[in-house]
Amino acid sequence: MRKIRLVIAYDGSRYAGWQRQKNAITIQGVIEDAIWRLTGERSPLLGAGRTDGGVHALGQVAVFRTGSNIPLEGMMRALNTLLPLDIRILEASAVDNRFHPIRDALSKHYRYLISEAREPHPLNQRRVWHIGANVDIGLMRRAASALIGRHDFSTIAPTDGRPIKEIKRLDISDITGSELLPLSMSKDARLIDIEIEADGFLRHMVRIIVGILVEVGKKRLGIPDVEAILDGRSSRRAIVAPPWGLYLVKVDY
């Protein structure tokens, strides 16, 4: 039996998340069905991150076992033929049987895109969070600096039993004019890119952090409020950013 590692990109707009569910279409379920159609094997697919419904990926990592001797390049091409166009296998490689996509991960890198536009462009309604207001990026960067490092994030996000996570990088940039996406019906709306890398994430943790940063940018929260929320000294809850602006960029091993 070979253990195959896949690097996967997907548009999560029409899926109920990564994890297979009985009564919903999911990324894992669709790929497992494609593997079965290709190999005749019902092989569980284990992903590095359980992205929520509507969340996208540029570099999700997942593994499965197979007794098939199909060459890796041919396997990747065949799976892409069987998969819908909004799910693509970017890489396929054989790995050691001891490799585990979750336990062996050193860090995960997420991206969140925000537009200040009031009128979203029809091509990116499900790819960017349109907040319809201007924010102070300088204040957001100051708040981000308070979140970098090791913290107990159980005060802001549901815990997985390991609430202490280390945020290694949290960068906020104005990428207006990058031609990454058509921004909006308005040419003067800014596109803001939040890049966050950590050794692990709790459920909804990235979206909650983004929600906090946006509230700071709108001057509804101050830096002391962020510190109080993080320390558990505040009962205030920030808005949880919607899933469709979030991208799993890559997983490092």
Side-chain angles (χ1 to χ4, degrees):
M1 295 285 285
R2 291 185 297 170
K3 194 170 194 177
I4 306 299
R5 171 173 133 167
L6 304 177
V7 179
I8 309 161
Y10 49 83
D11 179 339
S13 300
R14 70 184 186 98
Y15 297 97
W18 167 265
Q19 191 170 9
R20 178 183 279 275
Q21 301 175 33
K22 286 185 178 180
N23 300 312
I25 301 174
T26 68
I27 306 292
Q28 179 187 16
V30 170
I31 298 175
E32 285 180 347
D33 288 347
I35 293 171
W36 171 69
R37 290 169 64 191
L38 177 63
T39 67
E41 301 166 331
R42 286 292 185 187
S43 183
L45 184 69
L46 178 62
R50 294 181 180 179
T51 53
D52 294 329
V55 175
H56 315 296
L58 304 176
Q60 170 75 282
V61 175
V63 296
F64 70 97
R65 297 181 186 275
T66 179
S68 166
N69 60 2
I70 299 172
L72 293 171
E73 185 68 26
M75 179 179 290
M76 184 175 72
R77 288 199 305 268
L79 286 175
N80 281 332
T81 299
L82 295 169
L83 288 167
L85 292 176
D86 52 8
I87 303 176
R88 295 288 90 183
I89 308 300
L90 305 180
E91 299 175 23
S93 58
V95 292
D96 189 280
N97 280 327
R98 293 170 295 180
F99 175 77
H100 194 285
I102 300 174
R103 291 197 298 264
D104 292 345
L106 299 177
S107 67
K108 295 176 184 175
H109 174 187
Y110 281 90
R111 171 177 300 146
Y112 199 99
L113 296 179
I114 297 169
S115 172
E116 294 178 332
R118 299 183 186 279
E119 292 291 337
H121 193 285
L123 296 183
N124 70 11
Q125 291 186 71
R126 293 294 174 178
R127 292 176 174 83
V128 179
W129 180 20
H130 296 85
I131 58 175
N134 296 330
V135 292
D136 187 322
I137 292 180
L139 288 177
M140 293 171 69
R141 287 172 176 154
R142 286 178 56 196
S145 66
L147 296 168
I148 293 174
R150 295 188 69 82
H151 300 283
D152 182 344
F153 286 97
S154 63
T155 56
I156 66 168
T159 181
D160 60 357
R162 295 170 295 171
I164 298 176
K165 307 295 182 184
E166 181 182 5
I167 294 182
K168 302 179 179 182
R169 182 166 68 95
L170 183 47
D171 297 330
I172 303 171
S173 305
D174 177 352
I175 59 170
T176 306
S178 67
E179 298 183 356
L180 179 66
L181 289 169
L183 291 182
S184 69
M185 304 304 288
S186 172
K187 294 183 179 180
D188 58 357
R190 288 193 302 179
L191 181 64
I192 298 166
D193 172 23
I194 298 177
E195 304 280 336
I196 180 168
E197 181 182 355
D199 59 0
F201 292 92
L202 301 178
R203 188 180 182 195
H204 303 324
M205 179 174 153
V206 177
R207 291 165 55 196
I208 291 169
I209 287 174
V210 170
I212 289 172
L213 294 176
V214 168
E215 292 292 277
V216 170
K218 291 180 176 179
K219 301 181 180 179
R220 294 175 179 171
L221 289 176
I223 307 302
D225 296 317
V226 175
E227 294 171 344
I229 291 171
L230 194 59
D231 293 341
R233 294 182 285 108
S234 173
S235 60
R236 299 182 67 171
R237 295 296 179 201
I239 295 172
V240 180
W244 50 80
L246 183 59
Y247 300 74
L248 173 55
V249 176
K250 66 175 181 175
V251 184
D252 289 323
Y253 294 94

